Amino acid sequence: MPKQLTDIEIEARIAAGSVRWPSTAIHWQRLKEAVAAARALVTAVDANCRAVEQDSDLSPEGIYRKRAEIGRRAVGELSDFTPLRSAEAAVSSAVSLFESGMVDLPKAPAGIAEVALAQELRTHIRAQENPAGFVLSHLDDVRVVGAVLYAPGFLSGLRDEGLNVIRDRARSALHPEQVLYRKEAEEALDVLRKGIAAAQRMILARTETRIDRDDKVRGIRDPVPGGLAA
């Protein structure tokens, strides 16, 4: 008989860290809703299995078949889980919003004195053994960053990819809050996806099913069709 599940076990295995997520924005709400939906699905699977197992009119084989059907339906629902898709869309929109607020960069050198200083800085940077590394270590100096970003890369000894890295890092350095918000949202989405995967594993174990290479869900005692390995 497969092991029955408890609410504590379900909450512990499906995105346990979500208890610390805020509810301050729509993407956090969608993430929490997806966690709750995944837990509810596993809880329903367990309840349905218990009902089948307590049905005195069913034989052991009948119970096995009924559980497998419960597993097939639940795994099918998880394969295109609407709450997960909603959370992914909300996080994507949030990340785009955070990034839209990270466009400001140091202004281009203006005036004779600033232009002359920028030229000297580029000469100094080009003379470094690692020009890109030098600039990255001075991102808090807007004069250095501005001198590099508003001139062709070769004047500072930099390639285009090096300039792109500096541009991205400079935005991050200037907008730490947006960087943090984006990181938190993306990490939470990863936790949710791992939670969905955990929910699937729990469902398969509870219903004594497996997913074969043809993506079909079958009972663990059923033969593998066509020589497919499970």
Side-chain angles (χ1 to χ4, degrees):
M1 182 76 67
K3 176 180 174 292
Q4 295 180 349
L5 301 172
T6 66
D7 291 342
I8 292 177
E9 181 181 4
I10 292 170
E11 291 178 7
R13 294 181 61 184
I14 300 176
S18 64
V19 70
R20 295 186 296 274
W21 293 349
S23 301
T24 53
I26 190 65
H27 66 283
W28 288 116
Q29 296 172 24
R30 294 292 177 266
L31 285 161
K32 288 192 168 203
E33 289 169 1
V35 170
R39 290 174 176 174
L41 178 61
V42 175
T43 298
V45 165
D46 182 69
N48 291 337
C49 287
R50 292 186 191 215
V52 166
E53 291 159 357
Q54 294 167 4
D55 190 340
S56 58
D57 291 333
L58 290 174
S59 66
E61 182 64 20
I63 292 174
Y64 168 76
R65 293 298 171 196
K66 287 279 189 178
R67 275 198 306 252
E69 181 55 34
I70 292 170
R72 273 190 287 273
R73 290 197 302 268
V75 171
E77 185 174 344
L78 275 184
S79 66
D80 189 22
F81 200 42
T82 300
L84 172 60
R85 300 292 170 253
S86 296
E88 289 173 334
V91 169
S92 178
S93 295
V95 168
S96 296
L97 180 62
F98 298 148
E99 291 180 344
S100 70
M102 296 168 59
V103 296
D104 294 338
L105 288 169
K107 298 186 182 303
I112 297 175
E114 289 186 6
V115 170
L117 176 61
Q119 291 174 339
E120 291 185 21
L121 286 171
R122 287 192 292 270
T123 299
H124 178 73
I125 293 167
R126 189 172 61 246
Q128 302 300 308
E129 183 177 347
N130 182 359
F134 178 86
V135 177
L136 289 173
S137 66
H138 290 79
L139 289 179
D140 57 341
D141 191 330
V142 295
R143 298 169 302 178
V144 172
V145 177
V148 168
L149 293 184
Y150 295 100
F154 64 84
L155 293 178
S156 304
L158 299 168
R159 297 182 178 180
D160 288 343
E161 54 266 33
L163 281 175
N164 290 334
V165 170
I166 290 167
R167 187 175 290 107
D168 289 341
R169 295 279 184 87
R171 287 194 182 105
S172 297
L174 288 169
H175 306 282
E177 284 191 353
Q178 284 89 342
V179 172
L180 176 62
Y181 295 154
R182 180 180 64 187
K183 180 174 180 289
E184 290 175 340
E186 291 174 339
E187 287 180 347
L189 181 57
D190 184 56
V191 168
L192 171 60
R193 287 171 173 157
K194 290 177 179 176
I196 299 296
Q200 183 185 83
R201 292 192 297 271
M202 296 174 77
I203 290 169
L204 293 173
R206 183 65 180 90
T207 60
E208 290 192 312
T209 51
R210 67 173 188 264
I211 302 176
D212 290 328
R213 287 188 180 178
D214 59 358
D215 291 328
K216 300 294 185 182
V217 179
R218 297 183 177 89
I220 59 173
R221 300 200 300 267
D222 292 357
V224 179
L228 289 171

